[in-house]
Amino acid sequence: MLLFDLTTRHGARPSPFCWRAKLALKHKGLLHDEKACHYSDIRSIGDGSFRTVPVMQDGGVFVGGSLNIAEYLEKTYPDTPTLFPDDPHHRYAKFVEAWVDTSLQPQIFHTLAYDIFLLMPDAEQPYFRKTREARLGMTLEEARDLAPSKLPAAQASFLPLRRRLQEQPFLCGDAPAYADYIAYGALKWQRLCCDRELLSDAADPIHAWFSHIDGLATAHAPTGS
Ligand SMILES: N[C@@H](CCC(=O)N[C@@H](CS)C(=O)NCC(=O)O)C(=O)O
């Protein structure tokens, strides 16, 4: 099994969506290799139809999109631990994905866009600038200058997660599963791209939640380049 993962100029792997897929594979105990790629490499994966990573190759099958990958693994490897406990139709995971994709990650992105730009290799920077400036509606330098003022909104976007973790250790209950990995990917991305601490309260339950999942993520690092 091979996972195509986005890389930076120094080989960091910050993509929040790729973290979701990596955790899904670990959760199921499925060994995989990783193939690092840049934005400009994505169109050469598989039949050339993919526009984003993660993409997973399982033998001759290519699957793109983090939730598609999780759903493929769930269906194809039914004897491995479930990614969707008590959520057979994945409705809860889809709601968490919608919250993370439309609120948490976009709010974080406002604070992080320029940091990500600096992490990209020179050859990838023009593409990143063009596409992300269109998304932000401002230049990356304007986003950098506004980043401190955007921090409170990014911090506030963690509230739904914090509220659930005050009641139970993981979004999925007593143990983490796919919905947790979706939210984890956002914070992992932020922490890999910059040193600014978003969660300043040491008693925040998000810290213990993150550390636990991070331990799973970094155990048994895959091979590959
Ligand atoms: N809905 C997709 C989104 C994946 C995505 O946006 N990945 C980014 C990397 S973090 C990407 O590949 N972007 C390609 C580009 O901007 O050209 C998923 O869940 O996998």
Side-chain angles (χ1 to χ4, degrees):
M1 250 183 222
L2 186 61
L3 188 77
F4 294 87
D5 187 8
L6 190 72
T7 188
T8 61
R9 63 165 69 220
H10 301 304
R13 308 288 181 85
S15 163
F17 302 100
C18 293
W19 281 108
R20 301 178 193 181
K22 286 182 269 192
L23 263 308
L25 284 158
K26 297 237 177 185
H27 185 99
K28 292 207 158 281
L30 297 167
L31 292 176
H32 68 283
D33 290 336
E34 289 176 6
K35 177 86 184 141
C37 38
H38 298 295
Y39 294 118
S40 56
D41 300 321
I42 295 175
R43 283 169 192 257
S44 53
I45 299 172
D47 65 2
S49 63
F50 298 104
R51 296 292 171 268
T52 60
V53 282
V55 173
M56 193 198 64
Q57 180 181 3
D58 185 17
V61 180
F62 285 82
V63 185
S66 50
L67 185 61
N68 290 339
I69 292 171
E71 290 178 333
Y72 169 87
L73 296 176
E74 190 77 358
K75 192 162 147 231
T76 312
Y77 299 97
D79 297 331
T80 56
T82 180
L83 288 164
F84 306 102
D86 305 320
D87 186 22
H89 301 292
H90 317 162
R91 291 188 184 113
Y92 177 59
K94 283 179 182 167
F95 181 78
V96 172
E97 183 189 58
W99 158 61
V100 172
D101 287 0
T102 64
S103 177
L104 184 63
Q105 283 183 189
Q107 297 291 353
I108 293 174
F109 185 65
H110 275 283
T111 74
L112 209 58
Y114 193 75
D115 301 277
I116 302 174
F117 173 71
L118 295 181
L119 288 173
M120 288 300 153
D122 293 349
E124 302 287 323
Q125 284 184 339
Y127 171 77
F128 184 87
R129 178 181 288 284
K130 183 164 174 257
T131 53
R132 273 46 177 188
E133 287 187 345
R135 190 183 294 176
L136 289 161
M138 66 182 82
T139 67
L140 291 171
E141 286 72 16
E142 285 166 340
R144 174 199 59 200
D145 295 344
L146 279 174
S149 68
K150 298 283 184 184
L151 279 175
Q155 288 159 332
S157 291
F158 282 92
L159 270 170
L161 174 63
R162 181 172 305 114
R163 188 174 284 195
R164 292 309 300 133
L165 299 183
Q166 281 161 348
E167 305 283 328
Q168 56 189 48
F170 298 97
L171 290 178
C172 292
D174 291 333
Y178 194 68
D180 292 280
Y181 307 147
I182 297 172
Y184 163 85
L187 191 52
K188 181 72 172 174
W189 170 57
Q190 193 275 336
R191 289 183 166 169
L192 282 173
C193 290
C194 87
D195 293 333
R196 282 185 299 280
E197 178 56 61
L198 277 183
L199 308 172
S200 52
D201 179 2
D204 192 330
I206 295 175
H207 292 301
W209 167 88
F210 180 86
S211 296
H212 183 97
I213 301 172
D214 208 42
L216 304 176
T218 47
H220 312 300
T223 55
S225 58

